[in-house]
Amino acid sequence: MKFTEIARVAKRNKACFIMTDLDGGQWMSNGYAVYRLEGLPKMTSDDFLNLLGVTETQKEKWSKKDMVDTEGVTKQDRVEETELTADPAGISVFYNGMFLTPFYTPDGVLWMDEDLMEPVRKMDSQYLRFFLRGEKGRRMVAVKDGLILVAVISPVVMNDDFMDKVNIMWRKCRQERGWEGVEEYEISADDLYHGEGAESSEAEPADAGHGGED
């Protein structure tokens, strides 16, 4: 994974949490995603910001911390981890300043921020694999290059406003396909929500990658 892509994610939120796993490997988290750092010397969050060219004065505007992953966020395999064998849905929407791509799961959908996915999409890999894993009552997407875990990314919370906009878009698309003239009261809740598996979890993504303090 390219350092420049990981750095771009850190700059977006001005957040840099350097995490060391129990095997001594290091990761960078911005609070929403965790990325493996490879080909670099051991570093602190200060060292990371120095590589970015962030001045001491500018560092005051950053959230930064050094920690050890005692909770196992970066553990290679997790219990009941499920591979997402299907491709992403092949469509993205722009919402609240983010391009979101849906990943279909066996029982719903996860909306992934494309900015957070970009570092893994730009990897020189022939075998990227995506896994659904549980983490503290929420669902995460673990990305592996073959058998090696390279990132753990939080989905975007599907709040009521986003759900309403998706429902309106779905209804208008159906009308465009030939439902013109169908009154709104004729459209059932099952039609609007397209089944009972719609993802509506209010899990907080901001905890992603926050292990115990070093």
Side-chain angles (χ1 to χ4, degrees), residues 19 29 31-34 69 71-74 78-80 105 107 109-110 131-142 152-158 199-211:
M19 178 184 298
S29 170
Y32 298 90
V34 186
D69 180 20
E71 297 179 1
V73 173
T74 58
R78 299 296 296 266
V79 176
E80 298 181 358
T105 72
D107 59 353
V109 61
L110 299 178
F131 293 82
L132 180 65
R133 59 166 58 176
E135 184 70 41
K136 281 190 171 181
R138 65 189 186 276
R139 299 194 290 178
M140 312 276 285
V141 171
V152 182
I153 304 173
S154 295
V156 173
V157 173
M158 195 171 189
E199 173 69 19
S200 58
S201 171
E202 289 298 324
E204 288 293 336
D207 289 338
H210 287 203

Side-chain angles (χ1 to χ4, degrees), residues 114-182:
E114 276 298 317
D115 275 354
L116 301 182
M117 298 296 296
E118 195 71 4
V120 297
R121 293 200 190 281
K122 288 190 174 181
M123 287 180 61
D124 184 18
S125 172
Q126 301 299 317
Y127 195 34
L128 277 183
R129 305 162 69 197
F130 299 91
F131 293 82
L132 180 65
R133 59 166 58 176
E135 184 70 41
K136 281 190 171 181
R138 65 189 186 276
R139 299 194 290 178
M140 312 276 285
V141 171
V143 185
K144 297 182 182 181
D145 182 8
L147 298 176
I148 305 300
L149 181 71
V150 295
V152 182
I153 304 173
S154 295
V156 173
V157 173
M158 195 171 189
N159 58 29
D160 290 341
D161 178 67
F162 184 37
M163 189 70 185
D164 289 344
K165 286 179 169 58
V166 170
N167 283 331
I168 291 170
M169 180 177 65
W170 177 85
R171 184 168 64 246
K172 293 300 182 182
C173 287
R174 289 300 298 263
Q175 290 174 344
E176 183 68 19
R177 292 281 294 170
W179 278 29
E180 291 86 350
V182 174

Side-chain angles (χ1 to χ4, degrees), residues 36-53:
R36 179 186 291 273
L37 296 175
E38 298 177 291
L40 295 168
K42 297 294 183 183
M43 66 175 68
T44 65
S45 55
D46 251 4
D47 295 332
F48 188 94
L49 295 186
N50 289 338
L51 283 177
L52 298 188

